[in-house]
Amino acid sequence: YLILKKIHVRPIWKLNHNQKMFKNFENFEINNANIIINKSLCLPSSIKLKERDVKLISFTINNFLK
């Protein structure tokens, strides 16, 4: 929905123990973290974001949630 509205979003980073480069390191059962990661995304964030951009992003997310 956000991409269709031309708002750049992307998946959140994987947990460290799920990343290929860390597969041989110690890890723990953190099921809640996996649930949160699967329901999260990265919103635009930049020093160059204008107040109107933030308002548009907020408005678009609120419209989607209604």
Side-chain angles (χ1 to χ4, degrees), residues 3-47:
I3 292 171
L4 291 174
K5 299 291 185 177
K6 299 189 188 269
I7 296 175
H8 180 74
V9 293
R10 56 188 165 78
I12 199 163
W13 286 53
K14 291 181 182 178
L15 297 168
N16 281 347
H17 73 282
N18 290 334
Q19 294 183 40
K20 195 175 190 178
M21 67 181 104
F22 297 115
K23 71 178 181 176
N24 295 321
F25 290 86
E26 182 178 17
N27 64 60
F28 301 93
E29 285 291 322
I30 47 176
N31 298 323
N32 288 339
N34 289 318
I35 292 167
I36 293 168
I37 291 294
N38 290 331
K39 294 182 177 188
S40 301
L41 56 90
C42 289
L43 295 173
S45 60
S46 167
I47 195 166

